Amino acid sequence: PWSNVLANGNFGTVVTESAGGYTWYKNSRENKLTSWCNDPVSDVPSEAVYIKDDSTMQYISPERIADGTGQYTVSYGLGYAVYRHSANKLSVAKTVFVPASDSIKVSVLEIKNESDISKKLSVYYYADCNLSPAASAVPDNIALTVRKASGIVYAENMNIPENGYMFAGC
């Protein structure tokens, strides 16, 4: 897979043509936040965005992970990657970057309805939480907490309390 590293001194993510890769904090080997697939041929994503048209129950994603049909593009620039896809009268784009001084990964999602009909959409974010030096975590070790008031989901590796946590918000 064609890949690109987006990082600063403390935080980074590897992004690939199909949105594979992974995210880490401080040390890319010892403190993986999401899982890493060390396979030079397949491009298994550990993070993804899905958009569902609630009336037709059809899904679309800016990354080439949903159904694989249609034209998918990815563009790399200095410090960012942009994924684009159009299907089912929706055009979606996701821009990913890591700020120069913050330990966060930012994904900006743009959705354009290209039909004359109003649509109700649901957006889903998938993350294969790892929170350990292993290639993939043991699921029983990861605890998820949803803070409804703030809209933030926390994940914590119960075996590594000092470093094994992450959060996602919208």
Side-chain angles (χ1 to χ4, degrees):
W2 186 267
S3 61
N4 200 354
V5 177
L6 310 174
N8 60 34
N10 283 323
F11 190 89
T13 189
V14 173
V15 293
T16 69
E17 66 204 61
S18 297
Y22 70 108
T23 302
W24 71 87
Y25 175 64
K26 288 190 179 175
N27 186 306
S28 63
R29 181 187 176 279
E30 295 297 318
N31 202 18
K32 289 183 272 307
L33 300 178
T34 56
S35 63
W36 175 52
C37 179
N38 186 18
D39 186 329
V41 178
S42 66
D43 194 9
V44 180
S46 63
E47 302 172 55
V49 172
Y50 297 94
I51 300 116
K52 180 179 79 170
D53 183 331
D54 292 336
S55 62
T56 65
M57 304 303 281
Q58 293 178 312
Y59 287 84
I60 185 173
S61 176
E63 302 105 347
R64 191 179 41 148
I65 53 173
D67 62 4
T69 60
Q71 176 87 19
Y72 288 84
T73 61
V74 59
S75 305
Y76 297 116
L78 291 175
Y80 68 91
V82 181
Y83 298 89
R84 291 183 181 88
H85 179 59
S86 292
N88 309 324
K89 299 285 188 177
L90 287 175
S91 176
V92 296
K94 182 178 92 168
T95 302
V96 180
F97 65 93
V98 172
S101 60
D102 293 325
S103 295
I104 60 172
K105 174 181 178 178
V106 178
S107 296
V108 178
L109 187 63
E110 298 175 50
I111 305 170
K112 182 179 179 186
N113 181 358
E114 297 177 338
S115 76
D116 296 332
I117 300 168
S118 180
K119 293 181 181 270
K120 182 178 181 222
L121 306 174
S122 297
V123 177
Y124 300 92
Y125 182 75
Y126 163 79
D128 184 13
C129 299
N130 183 330
L131 306 171
S132 76
S136 60
V138 177
D140 294 343
N141 297 342
I142 306 295
L144 294 177
T145 305
V146 178
R147 305 257 169 98
K148 289 184 180 181
S150 63
I152 294 176
V153 177
Y154 292 88
E156 181 179 4
N157 185 329
M158 303 310 285
N159 291 342
I160 311 173
E162 68 279 356
N163 244 3
Y165 62 92
M166 64 183 268
F167 67 91
C170 181

